[in-house]
PDB file of all heavy atoms in Angstrom:
ATOM      1  N   ILE H 234     167.250   4.295  55.968  1.00  0.00           N
ATOM      2  CA  ILE H 234     168.581   4.299  56.544  1.00  0.00           C
ATOM      3  C   ILE H 234     169.555   4.687  55.456  1.00  0.00           C
ATOM      4  O   ILE H 234     169.460   4.222  54.308  1.00  0.00           O
ATOM      5  CB  ILE H 234     168.972   2.904  57.103  1.00  0.00           C
ATOM      6  CG1 ILE H 234     167.955   2.452  58.171  1.00  0.00           C
ATOM      7  CG2 ILE H 234     170.388   2.916  57.663  1.00  0.00           C
ATOM      8  CD1 ILE H 234     167.899   3.348  59.423  1.00  0.00           C
ATOM      9  N   ARG H 235     170.506   5.563  55.786  1.00  0.00           N
ATOM     10  CA  ARG H 235     171.461   6.052  54.814  1.00  0.00           C
ATOM     11  C   ARG H 235     172.859   5.496  55.103  1.00  0.00           C
ATOM     12  O   ARG H 235     173.274   5.412  56.267  1.00  0.00           O
ATOM     13  CB  ARG H 235     171.504   7.572  54.912  1.00  0.00           C
ATOM     14  CG  ARG H 235     172.439   8.209  53.902  1.00  0.00           C
ATOM     15  CD  ARG H 235     172.335   9.694  54.005  1.00  0.00           C
ATOM     16  NE  ARG H 235     173.690  10.199  54.263  1.00  0.00           N
ATOM     17  CZ  ARG H 235     173.952  11.450  54.555  1.00  0.00           C
ATOM     18  NH1 ARG H 235     172.983  12.313  54.733  1.00  0.00           N
ATOM     19  NH2 ARG H 235     175.164  11.832  54.752  1.00  0.00           N
ATOM     20  N   ALA H 236     173.555   5.118  54.046  1.00  0.00           N
ATOM     21  CA  ALA H 236     174.928   4.662  54.150  1.00  0.00           C
ATOM     22  C   ALA H 236     175.788   5.500  53.199  1.00  0.00           C
ATOM     23  O   ALA H 236     175.433   5.639  52.038  1.00  0.00           O
ATOM     24  CB  ALA H 236     175.035   3.190  53.790  1.00  0.00           C
ATOM     25  N   ASP H 237     176.855   6.040  53.738  1.00  0.00           N
ATOM     26  CA  ASP H 237     177.829   6.799  52.930  1.00  0.00           C
ATOM     27  C   ASP H 237     179.058   5.938  52.790  1.00  0.00           C
ATOM     28  O   ASP H 237     179.664   5.544  53.786  1.00  0.00           O
ATOM     29  CB  ASP H 237     178.207   8.108  53.612  1.00  0.00           C
ATOM     30  CG  ASP H 237     177.063   9.087  53.665  1.00  0.00           C
ATOM     31  OD1 ASP H 237     176.273   9.126  52.702  1.00  0.00           O
ATOM     32  OD2 ASP H 237     176.957   9.828  54.660  1.00  0.00           O
ATOM     33  N   LEU H 238     179.423   5.634  51.547  1.00  0.00           N
ATOM     34  CA  LEU H 238     180.609   4.833  51.304  1.00  0.00           C
ATOM     35  C   LEU H 238     181.740   5.737  50.902  1.00  0.00           C
ATOM     36  O   LEU H 238     181.619   6.512  49.941  1.00  0.00           O
ATOM     37  CB  LEU H 238     180.370   3.797  50.215  1.00  0.00           C
ATOM     38  CG  LEU H 238     179.799   2.457  50.676  1.00  0.00           C
ATOM     39  CD1 LEU H 238     178.495   2.614  51.367  1.00  0.00           C
ATOM     40  CD2 LEU H 238     179.749   1.500  49.575  1.00  0.00           C
ATOM     41  N   LYS H 239     182.828   5.640  51.637  1.00  0.00           N
ATOM     42  CA  LYS H 239     184.006   6.448  51.327  1.00  0.00           C
ATOM     43  C   LYS H 239     184.885   5.671  50.370  1.00  0.00           C
ATOM     44  O   LYS H 239     185.006   4.459  50.429  1.00  0.00           O
ATOM     45  CB  LYS H 239     184.756   6.745  52.600  1.00  0.00           C
ATOM     46  CG  LYS H 239     183.970   7.614  53.567  1.00  0.00           C
ATOM     47  CD  LYS H 239     184.763   7.867  54.829  1.00  0.00           C
ATOM     48  CE  LYS H 239     184.035   8.835  55.717  1.00  0.00           C
ATOM     49  NZ  LYS H 239     183.253   8.198  56.728  1.00  0.00           N
ATOM     50  N   ASP H 240     185.543   6.393  49.485  1.00  0.00           N
ATOM     51  CA  ASP H 240     186.500   5.805  48.547  1.00  0.00           C
ATOM     52  C   ASP H 240     187.812   5.636  49.294  1.00  0.00           C
ATOM     53  O   ASP H 240     188.497   6.609  49.588  1.00  0.00           O
ATOM     54  CB  ASP H 240     186.668   6.734  47.332  1.00  0.00           C
ATOM     55  CG  ASP H 240     187.537   6.127  46.247  1.00  0.00           C
ATOM     56  OD1 ASP H 240     188.191   5.101  46.507  1.00  0.00           O
ATOM     57  OD2 ASP H 240     187.581   6.705  45.150  1.00  0.00           O
ATOM     58  N   ASN H 241     188.179   4.412  49.607  1.00  0.00           N
ATOM     59  CA  ASN H 241     189.370   4.137  50.428  1.00  0.00           C
ATOM     60  C   ASN H 241     190.604   3.823  49.584  1.00  0.00           C
ATOM     61  O   ASN H 241     191.595   3.329  50.127  1.00  0.00           O
ATOM     62  CB  ASN H 241     189.090   2.995  51.381  1.00  0.00           C
ATOM     63  CG  ASN H 241     188.202   3.414  52.523  1.00  0.00           C
ATOM     64  OD1 ASN H 241     188.283   4.509  52.992  1.00  0.00           O
ATOM     65  ND2 ASN H 241     187.319   2.509  52.912  1.00  0.00           N
ATOM     66  N   ARG H 242     190.538   4.118  48.300  1.00  0.00           N
ATOM     67  CA  ARG H 242     191.742   3.872  47.475  1.00  0.00           C
ATOM     68  C   ARG H 242     192.864   4.813  47.927  1.00  0.00           C
ATOM     69  O   ARG H 242     192.633   5.963  48.241  1.00  0.00           O
ATOM     70  CB  ARG H 242     191.444   4.106  45.998  1.00  0.00           C
ATOM     71  CG  ARG H 242     190.491   3.080  45.396  1.00  0.00           C
ATOM     72  CD  ARG H 242     190.196   3.383  43.996  1.00  0.00           C
ATOM     73  NE  ARG H 242     189.431   4.633  43.945  1.00  0.00           N
ATOM     74  CZ  ARG H 242     189.016   5.236  42.851  1.00  0.00           C
ATOM     75  NH1 ARG H 242     189.320   4.731  41.665  1.00  0.00           N
ATOM     76  NH2 ARG H 242     188.307   6.336  42.878  1.00  0.00           N
ATOM     77  N   ALA H 243     194.063   4.272  47.935  1.00  0.00           N
ATOM     78  CA  ALA H 243     195.231   5.081  48.320  1.00  0.00           C
ATOM     79  C   ALA H 243     195.571   6.052  47.193  1.00  0.00           C
ATOM     80  O   ALA H 243     195.491   5.735  46.004  1.00  0.00           O
ATOM     81  CB  ALA H 243     196.411   4.163  48.585  1.00  0.00           C
ATOM     82  N   VAL H 244     195.950   7.256  47.598  1.00  0.00           N
ATOM     83  CA  VAL H 244     196.417   8.263  46.642  1.00  0.00           C
ATOM     84  C   VAL H 244     197.766   8.759  47.121  1.00  0.00           C
ATOM     85  O   VAL H 244     198.055   8.782  48.316  1.00  0.00           O
ATOM     86  CB  VAL H 244     195.442   9.455  46.509  1.00  0.00           C
ATOM     87  CG1 VAL H 244     194.126   9.031  45.916  1.00  0.00           C
ATOM     88  CG2 VAL H 244     195.211  10.138  47.825  1.00  0.00           C
ATOM     89  N   LYS H 245     198.613   9.090  46.178  1.00  0.00           N
ATOM     90  CA  LYS H 245     199.948   9.613  46.532  1.00  0.00           C
ATOM     91  C   LYS H 245     199.877  11.119  46.655  1.00  0.00           C
ATOM     92  O   LYS H 245     199.292  11.784  45.806  1.00  0.00           O
ATOM     93  CB  LYS H 245     200.962   9.203  45.503  1.00  0.00           C
ATOM     94  CG  LYS H 245     201.317   7.743  45.576  1.00  0.00           C
ATOM     95  CD  LYS H 245     202.596   7.494  44.773  1.00  0.00           C
ATOM     96  CE  LYS H 245     203.085   6.124  45.049  1.00  0.00           C
ATOM     97  NZ  LYS H 245     204.213   6.085  45.952  1.00  0.00           N
ATOM     98  N   ARG H 246     200.465  11.618  47.746  1.00  0.00           N
ATOM     99  CA  ARG H 246     200.536  13.078  47.962  1.00  0.00           C
ATOM    100  C   ARG H 246     201.976  13.378  48.359  1.00  0.00           C
ATOM    101  O   ARG H 246     202.630  12.599  49.018  1.00  0.00           O
ATOM    102  CB  ARG H 246     199.614  13.520  49.099  1.00  0.00           C
ATOM    103  CG  ARG H 246     198.135  13.257  48.903  1.00  0.00           C
ATOM    104  CD  ARG H 246     197.544  14.173  47.847  1.00  0.00           C
ATOM    105  NE  ARG H 246     197.661  15.548  48.202  1.00  0.00           N
ATOM    106  CZ  ARG H 246     196.676  16.365  48.453  1.00  0.00           C
ATOM    107  NH1 ARG H 246     195.445  15.914  48.386  1.00  0.00           N
ATOM    108  NH2 ARG H 246     196.872  17.612  48.758  1.00  0.00           N
ATOM    109  N   THR H 247     202.428  14.534  47.958  1.00  0.00           N
ATOM    110  CA  THR H 247     203.750  14.974  48.382  1.00  0.00           C
ATOM    111  C   THR H 247     203.582  15.846  49.609  1.00  0.00           C
ATOM    112  O   THR H 247     202.787  16.809  49.602  1.00  0.00           O
ATOM    113  CB  THR H 247     204.418  15.786  47.233  1.00  0.00           C
ATOM    114  OG1 THR H 247     204.497  14.954  46.090  1.00  0.00           O
ATOM    115  CG2 THR H 247     205.806  16.229  47.633  1.00  0.00           C
ATOM    116  N   VAL H 248     204.281  15.501  50.657  1.00  0.00           N
ATOM    117  CA  VAL H 248     204.237  16.289  51.882  1.00  0.00           C
ATOM    118  C   VAL H 248     205.672  16.677  52.247  1.00  0.00           C
ATOM    119  O   VAL H 248     206.621  15.980  51.912  1.00  0.00           O
ATOM    120  CB  VAL H 248     203.577  15.551  53.050  1.00  0.00           C
ATOM    121  CG1 VAL H 248     202.134  15.234  52.749  1.00  0.00           C
ATOM    122  CG2 VAL H 248     204.314  14.299  53.437  1.00  0.00           C
ATOM    123  N   SER H 249     205.775  17.754  52.948  1.00  0.00           N
ATOM    124  CA  SER H 249     207.082  18.230  53.412  1.00  0.00           C
ATOM    125  C   SER H 249     207.133  18.211  54.933  1.00  0.00           C
ATOM    126  O   SER H 249     206.199  18.684  55.570  1.00  0.00           O
ATOM    127  CB  SER H 249     207.380  19.650  52.917  1.00  0.00           C
ATOM    128  OG  SER H 249     207.389  19.669  51.508  1.00  0.00           O
TER     129      SER H 249
END
Side-chain angles (χ1 to χ4, degrees):
I234 302 297
R235 182 176 125 189
D237 292 324
L238 272 60
K239 295 179 175 95
D240 185 349
N241 287 323
R242 292 178 293 178
V244 295
K245 287 195 169 255
R246 299 289 299 245
T247 302
V248 297
S249 298

